[in-house]
């Protein structure tokens, strides 16, 4: 079964108070064939966090870069890594919980 996902790029800007803000600019859509979801824990500066990961396959598209975001199923998934093999893009997606 394939899932339609919106593709977004993060655009950084400076706030009036000197901080940084990220807004998400829509780039288009991609049909994804999703693998099984996995859950693991990761420790970072803010402590222990749950990370959900999933592998996805789609047509190769130069817009599918690491760091961009795919939105589907009511959740935002970051493209962690990706590679193109024979006209297909194999993406590793993750989201923090």
């Amino acid at each position: 079964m394939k899932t339609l996902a919106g593709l977004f790029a993060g655009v950084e800007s400076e706030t009036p108070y000197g901080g940084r803000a990220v807004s998400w600019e829509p780039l288009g859509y991609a049909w994804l064939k999703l693998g099984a979801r996995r859950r693991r824990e990761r420790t970072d500066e803010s402590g222990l966090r749950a990370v959900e990961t999933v592998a996805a396959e789609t047509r190769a598209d130069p817009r599918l870069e690491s760091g961009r975001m795919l939105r589907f199923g009511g959740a935002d998934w970051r493209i962690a890594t990706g590679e193109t093999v024979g006209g297909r893009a194999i993406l590793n997606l993750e989201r923090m919980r």
Side-chain angles (χ1 to χ4, degrees):
M1 185 167 113
K2 293 196 177 189
T3 301
L4 183 62
L7 175 63
F8 297 85
V11 178
E12 283 193 23
S13 60
E14 189 171 327
T15 66
Y17 303 104
R20 304 294 292 168
V22 177
S23 60
W24 294 96
E25 178 181 302
L27 297 177
Y29 295 93
W31 284 101
L32 304 175
K33 180 180 171 188
L34 299 172
R37 291 185 184 187
R38 293 175 298 209
R39 182 180 219 128
R40 59 189 168 93
E41 293 180 344
R42 177 187 296 167
T43 303
D44 60 14
E45 302 86 35
S46 60
L48 188 64
R49 303 177 94 183
V51 178
E52 195 171 359
T53 62
V54 67
E57 182 180 334
T58 188
R59 289 183 185 172
D61 186 330
R63 299 174 299 171
L64 296 168
E65 298 176 0
S66 294
R68 291 196 169 161
M69 189 251 301
L70 289 163
R71 181 175 289 155
F72 59 91
D76 296 339
W77 294 80
R78 186 178 67 83
I79 300 174
T81 61
E83 65 179 329
T84 302
V85 178
R88 306 298 293 170
I90 311 299
L91 307 172
N92 292 307
L93 310 177
E94 66 179 23
R95 71 179 182 140
M96 301 288 188
R97 304 272 310 173

